[in-house]
Amino acid sequence: ACNAGSWIQTQFSDQIDETQMAHQRSFFWSNLIGDVSLLYFGLFGFAIILPLGLDVIYGKVPWYDFINLMAPIGAMSMAFPILGGLQAQVSIFSGAIQTVSDLTKS
């Protein structure tokens, strides 16, 4: 009987391994880009919200000014994860294209 799976594994094991490694690298970098984008947003929010919140607690800034400033910051908070996710998707697709390019060259 013909065992096609074993034949494919012996003939194309190097290409399968390269494809798997390129796939893992692509996901690693794309997730890293998304995580770094979220980290930047967290630092951005922390740098603005903490001093403002402390000013409200100490009575230097009225609470309604704090709320009026938090609305645009909250709207901007959605842009960072969306842009980070978009960047991650672009990285995944470019990694896939690079993998195909590498496989066709070898």
Side-chain angles (χ1 to χ4, degrees):
C2 177
N3 191 352
S6 295
W7 180 81
I8 289 173
Q9 188 174 12
T10 57
Q11 297 294 320
F12 299 105
S13 63
D14 291 339
Q15 285 88 359
I16 292 170
D17 291 341
E18 287 177 20
T19 304
Q20 185 176 13
M21 287 174 43
H23 183 72
Q24 288 174 348
R25 277 194 310 265
S26 169
F27 273 103
F28 169 77
W29 285 111
S30 64
N31 285 332
L32 183 65
I33 289 170
D35 292 343
V36 167
S37 298
L38 288 175
L39 176 67
Y40 284 155
F41 163 68
L43 294 174
F44 170 75
F46 184 74
I48 292 176
I49 293 169
L50 183 68
L52 248 130
L54 290 175
D55 285 346
V56 169
I57 290 172
Y58 295 134
K60 296 178 185 176
V61 175
W63 62 272
Y64 52 84
D65 284 345
F66 178 75
I67 292 173
N68 288 337
L69 289 172
M70 286 304 298
I73 292 171
M76 287 175 22
S77 71
M78 290 308 296
F80 284 110
I82 289 171
L83 290 174
L86 179 64
Q87 224 174 359
Q89 291 299 317
V90 168
S91 177
I92 288 173
F93 291 127
S94 64
I97 291 170
Q98 185 64 42
T99 302
V100 170
S101 175
D102 290 346
L103 288 175
T104 55
K105 288 180 184 177
S106 61

XYZ file of all heavy atoms in Angstrom:
819
model
N 0.836 -1.185 0.000
C 0.000 0.000 0.000
C 0.882 1.250 0.000
O 1.990 1.245 0.488
C -0.900 0.015 1.225
N 0.360 2.293 -0.548
C 1.082 3.558 -0.676
C 0.817 4.413 0.558
O -0.328 4.642 0.923
C 0.615 4.278 -1.934
S 1.391 5.879 -2.138
N 1.887 4.890 1.173
C 1.741 5.766 2.325
C 2.183 7.165 1.916
O 3.348 7.537 2.048
C 2.569 5.244 3.497
C 2.236 5.962 4.791
O 1.510 6.943 4.798
N 2.773 5.459 5.881
N 1.239 7.944 1.409
C 1.543 9.268 0.868
C 2.015 10.230 1.959
O 2.866 11.073 1.717
C 0.323 9.838 0.159
N 1.475 10.087 3.156
C 1.867 10.984 4.243
C 3.335 10.852 4.590
O 4.034 11.848 4.791
N 3.820 9.630 4.661
C 5.244 9.414 4.962
C 6.123 9.933 3.839
O 7.181 10.532 4.083
C 5.520 7.921 5.178
O 4.848 7.468 6.303
N 5.701 9.723 2.597
C 6.482 10.199 1.459
C 6.578 11.721 1.463
O 7.650 12.305 1.275
C 5.850 9.711 0.147
C 6.619 10.170 -1.047
C 7.755 9.617 -1.557
C 6.314 11.300 -1.879
N 8.180 10.325 -2.645
C 7.308 11.368 -2.868
C 5.311 12.255 -1.870
C 7.321 12.346 -3.842
C 5.321 13.229 -2.841
C 6.314 13.269 -3.824
N 5.456 12.389 1.715
C 5.439 13.852 1.759
C 6.312 14.350 2.905
O 7.078 15.302 2.752
C 3.995 14.381 1.882
C 3.252 14.162 0.569
C 3.973 15.853 2.275
C 1.795 14.492 0.623
N 6.219 13.673 4.051
C 7.016 14.100 5.195
C 8.508 13.960 4.926
O 9.288 14.837 5.285
C 6.627 13.298 6.430
C 7.275 13.796 7.696
C 6.766 13.076 8.924
O 6.083 12.055 8.822
N 7.092 13.590 10.084
N 8.930 12.897 4.275
C 10.356 12.729 3.986
C 10.825 13.672 2.886
O 11.939 14.183 2.936
C 10.681 11.280 3.591
O 9.891 10.913 2.461
C 10.432 10.326 4.740
N 9.989 13.915 1.893
C 10.389 14.763 0.772
C 10.374 16.254 1.096
O 11.192 17.011 0.587
C 9.475 14.505 -0.446
C 9.552 13.101 -0.983
C 10.927 12.794 -1.563
O 11.538 13.631 -2.211
N 11.409 11.589 -1.303
N 9.431 16.670 1.902
C 9.219 18.103 2.127
C 9.377 18.509 3.584
O 8.866 19.545 4.000
C 7.818 18.504 1.643
C 7.602 18.267 0.181
C 6.823 17.208 -0.253
C 8.200 19.085 -0.756
C 6.626 16.985 -1.612
C 8.011 18.865 -2.111
C 7.227 17.808 -2.533
N 10.103 17.737 4.381
C 10.218 18.050 5.810
C 10.916 19.392 6.034
O 10.535 20.150 6.932
C 10.943 16.940 6.560
O 12.272 16.816 6.093
N 11.932 19.713 5.237
C 12.616 21.006 5.403
C 11.672 22.174 5.114
O 11.646 23.154 5.862
C 13.832 21.094 4.481
C 14.944 20.146 4.906
O 14.952 19.740 6.087
O 15.789 19.822 4.045
N 10.894 22.071 4.042
C 9.964 23.157 3.709
C 8.860 23.278 4.761
O 8.448 24.390 5.094
C 9.331 22.917 2.331
C 10.251 23.203 1.186
C 11.089 21.987 0.813
O 10.985 20.934 1.424
N 11.937 22.141 -0.184
N 8.409 22.136 5.277
C 7.366 22.182 6.315
C 7.917 22.841 7.572
O 7.250 23.679 8.189
C 6.826 20.766 6.600
C 6.041 20.252 5.389
C 5.952 20.751 7.845
C 5.669 18.790 5.468
N 9.146 22.497 7.954
C 9.761 23.111 9.131
C 9.973 24.616 8.928
O 9.711 25.408 9.835
C 11.099 22.444 9.445
C 10.937 21.016 9.950
O 9.827 20.666 10.390
O 11.932 20.256 9.891
N 10.448 25.008 7.747
C 10.641 26.435 7.465
C 9.320 27.191 7.508
O 9.248 28.301 8.023
C 11.286 26.610 6.092
C 12.740 26.241 6.039
C 13.309 26.362 4.630
O 12.706 27.066 3.803
O 14.351 25.749 4.376
N 8.284 26.580 6.956
C 6.968 27.217 6.965
C 6.457 27.385 8.385
O 5.936 28.443 8.755
C 5.962 26.391 6.145
O 6.481 26.231 4.829
C 4.616 27.065 6.082
N 6.633 26.367 9.211
C 6.172 26.445 10.591
C 6.947 27.506 11.370
O 6.357 28.292 12.117
C 6.321 25.087 11.269
C 5.744 25.047 12.671
C 5.827 23.662 13.281
O 6.520 22.790 12.770
N 5.134 23.476 14.376
N 8.264 27.570 11.180
C 9.061 28.579 11.877
C 8.709 29.994 11.417
O 8.591 30.914 12.230
C 10.553 28.305 11.664
C 11.056 27.107 12.444
S 12.760 26.632 12.109
C 13.618 28.171 12.060
N 8.508 30.179 10.122
C 8.126 31.503 9.608
C 6.755 31.911 10.131
O 6.525 33.073 10.464
C 8.134 31.494 8.091
N 5.848 30.948 10.216
C 4.510 31.209 10.739
C 4.594 31.643 12.206
O 3.949 32.618 12.610
C 3.663 29.946 10.586
C 2.253 30.097 11.025
N 1.334 30.825 10.310
C 1.596 29.609 12.100
C 0.170 30.777 10.929
N 0.310 30.051 12.023
N 5.409 30.947 12.994
C 5.557 31.305 14.404
C 6.205 32.672 14.565
O 5.793 33.457 15.415
C 6.371 30.238 15.131
C 5.615 28.952 15.336
C 6.482 27.849 15.927
O 7.698 27.967 15.995
N 5.846 26.771 16.339
N 7.230 32.970 13.749
C 7.863 34.295 13.810
C 6.856 35.385 13.468
O 6.820 36.432 14.106
C 9.042 34.362 12.849
C 10.314 33.801 13.381
C 11.498 34.208 12.516
N 11.289 33.961 11.103
C 11.683 32.870 10.456
N 12.288 31.911 11.104
N 11.459 32.739 9.169
N 6.042 35.135 12.464
C 5.057 36.128 12.045
C 4.063 36.415 13.166
O 3.767 37.572 13.461
C 4.323 35.619 10.805
O 3.219 36.415 10.516
N 3.569 35.368 13.817
C 2.628 35.577 14.916
C 3.300 36.237 16.108
O 2.703 37.077 16.778
C 1.970 34.263 15.339
C 0.751 33.947 14.541
C 0.784 33.001 13.547
C -0.433 34.609 14.771
C -0.348 32.717 12.801
C -1.563 34.341 14.036
C -1.517 33.395 13.043
N 4.557 35.870 16.378
C 5.270 36.486 17.495
C 5.389 37.993 17.293
O 5.061 38.779 18.176
C 6.661 35.866 17.652
C 7.535 36.621 18.606
C 7.350 36.500 19.974
C 8.525 37.476 18.142
C 8.147 37.197 20.857
C 9.321 38.179 19.023
C 9.142 38.046 20.386
N 5.868 38.405 16.108
C 6.053 39.831 15.854
C 4.734 40.585 15.812
O 4.637 41.716 16.290
C 6.855 40.051 14.575
C 8.299 39.741 14.789
C 8.994 38.698 14.261
C 9.217 40.449 15.619
N 10.288 38.712 14.705
C 10.458 39.778 15.545
C 9.122 41.569 16.413
C 11.579 40.204 16.238
C 10.256 41.996 17.103
C 11.456 41.315 17.013
N 3.708 39.971 15.241
C 2.431 40.674 15.169
C 1.827 40.844 16.558
O 1.289 41.905 16.882
C 1.465 39.934 14.246
O 1.171 38.669 14.782
N 1.927 39.825 17.404
C 1.424 39.970 18.771
C 2.257 40.966 19.558
O 1.720 41.717 20.381
C 1.409 38.619 19.483
C 0.287 37.746 19.000
O -0.741 38.235 18.562
N 0.477 36.451 19.066
N 3.549 40.978 19.321
C 4.410 41.943 20.005
C 4.027 43.370 19.629
O 3.963 44.252 20.494
C 5.874 41.677 19.659
C 6.883 42.575 20.357
C 6.856 42.329 21.865
C 8.268 42.330 19.806
N 3.736 43.605 18.364
C 3.330 44.949 17.924
C 2.036 45.368 18.610
O 1.911 46.490 19.107
C 3.173 44.985 16.390
C 4.542 44.896 15.731
C 2.447 46.249 15.936
C 4.488 44.678 14.239
N 1.060 44.453 18.666
C -0.199 44.769 19.340
C -0.004 45.035 20.823
O -0.583 45.974 21.385
N 0.842 44.234 21.481
C 1.084 44.418 22.911
C 1.819 45.720 23.206
O 1.514 46.404 24.177
C 1.868 43.230 23.471
C 1.054 41.950 23.479
O -0.188 42.032 23.362
O 1.667 40.871 23.596
N 2.785 46.058 22.372
C 3.521 47.313 22.577
C 2.589 48.505 22.378
O 2.660 49.492 23.118
C 4.741 47.392 21.637
C 5.333 48.785 21.589
C 5.795 46.387 22.077
N 1.679 48.411 21.416
C 0.719 49.496 21.208
C -0.168 49.672 22.438
O -0.432 50.799 22.868
C -0.150 49.223 19.982
O 0.635 49.155 18.837
N -0.609 48.562 23.027
C -1.423 48.655 24.241
C -0.613 49.200 25.414
O -1.130 49.960 26.232
C -2.007 47.289 24.586
C -3.119 46.800 23.667
C -3.525 45.383 24.027
C -4.309 47.724 23.731
N 0.650 48.836 25.486
C 1.510 49.357 26.539
C 1.676 50.863 26.398
O 1.596 51.606 27.387
C 2.873 48.669 26.503
C 3.902 49.181 27.503
C 3.474 48.841 28.925
C 5.260 48.607 27.194
N 1.882 51.332 25.168
C 1.996 52.773 24.948
C 0.726 53.496 25.364
O 0.781 54.571 25.946
C 2.315 53.087 23.488
C 3.740 52.822 23.092
C 4.072 52.554 21.779
C 4.771 52.841 24.018
C 5.381 52.307 21.406
C 6.083 52.608 23.653
C 6.377 52.331 22.347
O 7.663 52.100 21.990
N -0.432 52.907 25.064
C -1.675 53.542 25.480
C -1.771 53.582 27.000
O -2.186 54.589 27.585
C -2.898 52.822 24.920
C -4.146 53.211 25.653
C -4.656 54.486 25.541
C -4.775 52.323 26.503
C -5.776 54.869 26.240
C -5.892 52.693 27.205
C -6.405 53.961 27.071
N -1.377 52.491 27.635
C -1.431 52.460 29.092
C -0.550 53.525 29.714
O -0.949 54.221 30.654
N 0.652 53.691 29.184
C 1.549 54.726 29.698
C 1.020 56.123 29.406
O 1.116 57.027 30.242
C 2.943 54.553 29.098
C 3.687 53.284 29.516
C 4.987 53.163 28.747
C 3.929 53.280 31.011
N 0.442 56.283 28.215
C -0.139 57.572 27.846
C -1.287 57.926 28.790
O -1.350 59.037 29.328
C -0.643 57.497 26.406
C -1.468 58.667 25.969
C -0.873 59.874 25.676
C -2.841 58.551 25.862
C -1.636 60.958 25.270
C -3.617 59.621 25.462
C -3.006 60.836 25.167
N -2.176 56.979 29.001
C -3.304 57.222 29.900
C -2.852 57.471 31.326
O -3.367 58.355 32.015
N -1.878 56.701 31.776
C -1.361 56.856 33.140
C -0.737 58.231 33.336
O -0.953 58.875 34.364
C -0.338 55.756 33.425
C 0.193 55.766 34.816
C -0.589 55.321 35.870
C 1.474 56.221 35.073
C -0.096 55.330 37.156
C 1.976 56.235 36.357
C 1.190 55.788 37.410
N 0.012 58.689 32.329
C 0.688 59.983 32.444
C -0.292 61.146 32.467
O 0.021 62.208 33.007
C 1.671 60.159 31.282
N -1.477 60.982 31.894
C -2.453 62.073 31.881
C -3.456 61.937 33.021
O -3.762 62.904 33.720
C -3.191 62.115 30.526
C -2.204 62.542 29.436
C -4.374 63.065 30.570
C -2.777 62.534 28.055
N -3.956 60.746 33.232
C -5.044 60.550 34.197
C -4.564 60.699 35.636
O -5.249 61.306 36.462
C -5.700 59.182 33.980
C -6.406 59.168 32.626
C -6.685 58.855 35.083
C -6.872 57.801 32.194
N -3.405 60.160 35.962
C -2.938 60.203 37.345
C -2.747 61.626 37.861
O -3.314 61.974 38.910
C -1.653 59.384 37.501
C -1.128 59.304 38.922
C -2.072 58.481 39.783
C 0.258 58.711 38.933
N -1.995 62.489 37.168
C -1.853 63.850 37.703
C -3.181 64.601 37.765
O -3.436 65.341 38.722
C -0.903 64.535 36.720
C -0.213 63.454 35.991
C -1.144 62.294 35.995
N -4.025 64.387 36.765
C -5.326 65.061 36.777
C -6.192 64.564 37.921
O -6.870 65.345 38.591
C -6.036 64.822 35.448
C -6.178 66.074 34.617
C -5.696 65.809 33.224
C -7.606 66.473 34.623
N -6.182 63.266 38.140
C -6.958 62.692 39.245
C -6.471 63.192 40.594
O -7.278 63.482 41.489
N -5.157 63.300 40.740
C -4.620 63.834 41.995
C -5.008 65.292 42.185
O -5.308 65.724 43.307
C -3.102 63.676 42.013
C -2.590 62.243 42.155
C -1.075 62.204 42.025
C -3.043 61.623 43.461
N -5.020 66.070 41.096
C -5.455 67.469 41.196
C -6.923 67.566 41.611
O -7.288 68.475 42.367
C -5.227 68.195 39.877
C -3.764 68.525 39.633
O -2.964 68.431 40.594
O -3.418 68.863 38.485
N -7.742 66.651 41.147
C -9.158 66.648 41.555
C -9.264 66.293 43.029
O -10.018 66.918 43.781
C -9.977 65.655 40.685
C -11.361 65.434 41.262
C -10.073 66.158 39.264
N -8.502 65.299 43.460
C -8.548 64.898 44.873
C -8.104 66.030 45.781
O -8.708 66.276 46.833
C -7.674 63.642 45.086
C -8.326 62.434 44.414
C -7.463 63.367 46.575
C -7.469 61.190 44.395
N -7.068 66.742 45.385
C -6.560 67.844 46.212
C -7.331 69.144 46.018
O -7.015 70.146 46.637
C -5.078 68.080 45.938
C -4.213 66.913 46.349
C -3.231 66.432 45.506
C -4.385 66.281 47.572
C -2.435 65.359 45.867
C -3.602 65.209 47.945
C -2.627 64.748 47.092
O -1.844 63.690 47.450
N -8.339 69.155 45.166
C -9.192 70.318 44.995
C -8.643 71.392 44.080
O -9.189 72.494 44.019
N -7.591 71.115 43.342
C -7.019 72.107 42.433
C -7.817 72.215 41.136
O -7.819 73.254 40.493
C -5.573 71.747 42.094
C -4.639 71.777 43.266
C -3.243 71.363 42.844
C -2.312 71.279 44.022
N -0.985 70.782 43.643
N -8.453 71.125 40.740
C -9.220 71.082 39.496
C -10.629 70.610 39.842
O -10.796 69.622 40.565
C -8.563 70.109 38.476
C -9.411 69.955 37.240
C -7.169 70.575 38.127
N -11.675 71.258 39.333
C -13.035 70.778 39.588
C -13.270 69.420 38.914
O -12.701 69.123 37.864
C -13.932 71.857 38.967
C -13.058 72.990 38.603
C -11.654 72.512 38.581
N -14.144 68.634 39.511
C -14.392 67.281 38.992
C -14.981 67.316 37.598
O -14.740 66.430 36.787
C -15.277 66.474 39.942
C -16.644 67.078 40.118
C -17.018 68.006 41.023
C -17.790 66.801 39.330
N -18.327 68.340 40.868
C -18.833 67.602 39.831
C -18.055 65.967 38.265
C -20.117 67.584 39.291
C -19.326 65.937 37.742
C -20.340 66.742 38.249
N -15.780 68.338 37.256
C -16.379 68.392 35.917
C -15.334 68.680 34.842
O -15.477 68.251 33.704
C -17.551 69.391 35.860
C -17.245 70.767 36.379
C -16.648 71.716 35.572
C -17.580 71.105 37.685
C -16.367 72.983 36.052
C -17.302 72.373 38.175
C -16.690 73.303 37.359
O -16.407 74.553 37.833
N -14.260 69.399 35.194
C -13.162 69.567 34.233
C -12.467 68.226 33.979
O -12.083 67.915 32.853
C -12.138 70.586 34.741
C -12.622 72.022 34.603
O -13.617 72.241 33.863
O -12.005 72.912 35.219
N -12.336 67.463 35.043
C -11.736 66.136 34.911
C -12.586 65.268 33.988
O -12.061 64.599 33.088
C -11.610 65.487 36.291
C -11.039 64.104 36.253
C -9.688 63.909 36.041
C -11.846 62.997 36.437
C -9.150 62.631 36.021
C -11.324 61.721 36.418
C -9.969 61.542 36.207
N -13.894 65.309 34.156
C -14.793 64.508 33.309
C -14.750 65.003 31.868
O -14.719 64.206 30.924
C -16.229 64.531 33.875
C -16.257 63.775 35.196
C -17.223 63.937 32.891
C -17.555 63.860 35.942
N -14.721 66.320 31.666
C -14.645 66.871 30.313
C -13.338 66.507 29.619
O -13.303 66.355 28.391
C -14.806 68.390 30.342
C -16.221 68.818 30.640
O -17.163 68.063 30.412
N -16.383 70.005 31.181
N -12.265 66.389 30.362
C -10.995 65.981 29.772
C -10.933 64.471 29.544
O -10.240 64.006 28.642
C -9.828 66.425 30.656
C -9.554 67.913 30.670
C -8.517 68.258 31.727
C -9.077 68.374 29.303
N -11.641 63.719 30.364
C -11.597 62.256 30.238
C -12.366 61.765 29.012
O -12.042 60.709 28.469
C -12.164 61.593 31.499
C -11.235 61.679 32.678
S -9.614 60.980 32.329
C -10.036 59.302 31.981
N -13.363 62.497 28.562
C -14.142 62.064 27.388
C -13.271 61.968 26.135
O -13.268 60.929 25.465
C -15.335 62.989 27.176
N -12.490 63.009 25.783
C -11.630 62.859 24.606
C -10.520 61.819 24.800
O -10.157 61.113 23.871
C -11.020 64.243 24.386
C -11.689 65.168 25.305
C -12.469 64.379 26.289
N -10.015 61.732 26.027
C -8.980 60.722 26.285
C -9.567 59.325 26.127
O -8.935 58.427 25.581
C -8.366 60.922 27.685
C -7.568 62.216 27.711
C -7.491 59.743 28.075
C -7.096 62.620 29.090
N -10.799 59.144 26.571
C -11.471 57.856 26.396
C -11.699 57.532 24.928
O -11.571 56.380 24.505
N -12.025 58.555 24.142
C -12.212 58.329 22.700
C -10.885 57.972 22.043
O -10.828 57.104 21.165
C -12.813 59.574 22.055
N -9.814 58.624 22.477
C -8.503 58.303 21.916
C -8.049 56.912 22.341
O -7.289 56.261 21.639
C -7.472 59.342 22.359
C -7.645 60.662 21.657
S -6.569 62.007 22.200
C -5.202 61.257 22.949
N -8.543 56.459 23.484
C -8.119 55.145 23.967
C -8.558 54.030 23.030
O -7.922 52.984 22.980
C -8.665 54.897 25.370
O -10.067 54.687 25.327
N -9.623 54.232 22.296
C -10.074 53.207 21.347
C -9.207 53.200 20.091
O -9.060 52.172 19.458
C -11.539 53.423 20.975
C -12.499 53.131 22.088
S -12.261 51.503 22.816
C -12.639 50.452 21.443
N -8.623 54.327 19.758
C -7.810 54.396 18.540
C -6.514 53.592 18.690
O -6.088 52.932 17.748
C -7.491 55.846 18.204
N -5.901 53.616 19.854
C -4.633 52.907 20.032
C -4.764 51.400 19.845
O -3.994 50.811 19.086
C -4.011 53.229 21.392
C -3.372 54.584 21.443
C -3.927 55.586 22.194
C -2.221 54.848 20.735
C -3.349 56.837 22.250
C -1.628 56.100 20.770
C -2.192 57.097 21.532
N -5.716 50.725 20.510
C -5.840 49.285 20.275
C -6.244 48.949 18.842
O -5.794 47.944 18.283
C -6.912 48.832 21.264
C -6.943 49.869 22.309
C -6.547 51.148 21.641
N -7.068 49.779 18.235
C -7.477 49.509 16.847
C -6.274 49.638 15.920
O -6.049 48.785 15.061
C -8.621 50.451 16.432
C -9.901 50.059 17.161
C -8.839 50.416 14.923
C -11.039 51.033 16.996
N -5.492 50.691 16.087
C -4.299 50.849 15.258
C -3.279 49.754 15.541
O -2.619 49.259 14.625
C -3.679 52.227 15.479
C -4.480 53.404 14.933
C -3.820 54.713 15.339
C -4.614 53.304 13.426
N -3.145 49.351 16.804
C -2.241 48.260 17.136
C -2.686 46.952 16.505
O -1.874 46.180 15.991
N -3.999 46.699 16.513
C -4.516 45.488 15.868
C -4.331 45.519 14.366
O -4.005 44.500 13.746
N -4.530 46.683 13.778
C -4.313 46.830 12.335
C -2.854 46.585 11.981
O -2.545 45.881 11.017
C -4.746 48.223 11.877
C -4.571 48.544 10.401
C -5.449 47.630 9.561
C -4.912 49.994 10.135
N -1.963 47.136 12.788
C -0.544 46.930 12.570
C -0.190 45.446 12.712
O 0.623 44.918 11.954
C 0.239 47.745 13.596
C 1.398 48.483 13.063
C 2.017 49.380 14.128
O 1.561 49.452 15.268
N 3.056 50.065 13.754
N -0.791 44.777 13.678
C -0.529 43.351 13.877
C -1.014 42.539 12.678
O -0.330 41.607 12.233
C -1.218 42.877 15.158
N -2.180 42.872 12.135
C -2.688 42.144 10.966
C -1.793 42.354 9.750
O -1.534 41.413 8.997
C -4.125 42.583 10.651
C -5.133 42.143 11.679
C -5.203 40.647 11.799
O -5.191 39.928 10.809
N -5.250 40.156 13.018
N -1.330 43.569 9.562
C -0.419 43.840 8.445
C 0.853 43.016 8.602
O 1.375 42.449 7.640
C -0.114 45.350 8.345
C 1.044 45.622 7.395
C -1.353 46.107 7.904
N 1.330 42.912 9.831
C 2.539 42.125 10.085
C 2.310 40.647 9.800
O 3.182 39.976 9.244
C 2.981 42.322 11.533
O 4.086 41.526 11.824
N 1.142 40.128 10.164
C 0.841 38.717 9.884
C 0.827 38.464 8.382
O 1.437 37.511 7.892
C -0.511 38.313 10.510
C -0.389 38.210 12.020
C -1.004 36.985 9.944
C -1.704 37.973 12.715
N 0.146 39.318 7.633
C 0.051 39.109 6.189
C 1.396 39.309 5.500
O 1.731 38.576 4.579
C -1.008 40.025 5.578
C -2.399 39.648 5.979
C -3.260 40.578 6.527
C -2.862 38.349 5.837
C -4.536 40.230 6.909
C -4.132 37.990 6.215
C -4.975 38.931 6.757
N 2.179 40.277 5.963
C 3.494 40.453 5.348
C 4.401 39.277 5.692
O 5.217 38.857 4.870
C 4.130 41.766 5.784
O 4.389 41.765 7.170
N 4.247 38.706 6.895
C 5.003 37.504 7.246
C 4.617 36.322 6.375
O 5.471 35.537 5.956
N 3.329 36.195 6.072
C 2.884 35.107 5.196
C 3.427 35.288 3.785
O 3.878 34.327 3.149
C 1.360 35.049 5.172
N 3.418 36.512 3.300
C 3.953 36.781 1.958
C 5.450 36.505 1.927
O 5.969 35.921 0.965
C 3.632 38.229 1.535
C 2.139 38.371 1.292
C 4.419 38.624 0.295
C 1.670 39.793 1.112
N 6.156 36.894 2.993
C 7.596 36.634 3.064
C 7.877 35.141 3.104
O 8.831 34.661 2.495
C 8.200 37.323 4.289
C 9.701 37.206 4.371
C 10.388 37.901 3.210
O 10.003 38.998 2.825
N 11.385 37.256 2.648
N 7.031 34.376 3.799
C 7.200 32.923 3.857
C 7.057 32.308 2.475
O 7.866 31.466 2.067
C 6.157 32.302 4.811
O 6.321 32.881 6.099
C 6.315 30.804 4.905
N 6.041 32.722 1.752
C 5.840 32.199 0.395
C 7.012 32.585 -0.486
O 7.507 31.779 -1.282
C 4.490 32.706 -0.190
C 4.376 32.387 -1.657
C 3.329 32.139 0.587
N 7.490 33.818 -0.336
C 8.637 34.267 -1.127
C 9.876 33.436 -0.804
O 10.607 33.021 -1.711
C 8.898 35.744 -0.833
O 10.064 36.172 -1.486
N 10.106 33.161 0.477
C 11.260 32.344 0.872
C 11.138 30.920 0.334
O 12.117 30.326 -0.085
C 11.415 32.304 2.396
C 11.847 33.637 2.948
O 12.287 34.506 2.179
O 11.722 33.816 4.182
N 9.925 30.368 0.384
C 9.728 28.997 -0.098
C 9.911 28.892 -1.610
O 10.411 27.894 -2.111
C 8.353 28.486 0.295
C 8.162 28.173 1.795
C 6.731 27.798 2.078
C 9.104 27.063 2.229
N 9.512 29.927 -2.345
C 9.668 29.858 -3.794
C 11.126 30.047 -4.207
O 11.527 29.572 -5.267
C 8.790 30.919 -4.493
O 9.094 32.203 -3.969
C 7.327 30.603 -4.310
N 11.912 30.723 -3.392
C 13.331 30.910 -3.701
C 14.146 29.647 -3.437
O 15.166 29.433 -4.056
C 13.911 32.067 -2.909
C 13.455 33.411 -3.375
C 14.069 34.508 -2.529
C 13.519 35.865 -2.948
N 14.031 36.940 -2.094
N 13.690 28.825 -2.475
C 14.472 27.630 -2.119
C 14.119 26.427 -2.977
O 13.292 26.401 -3.795
C 14.280 27.297 -0.660
O 12.933 27.015 -0.372
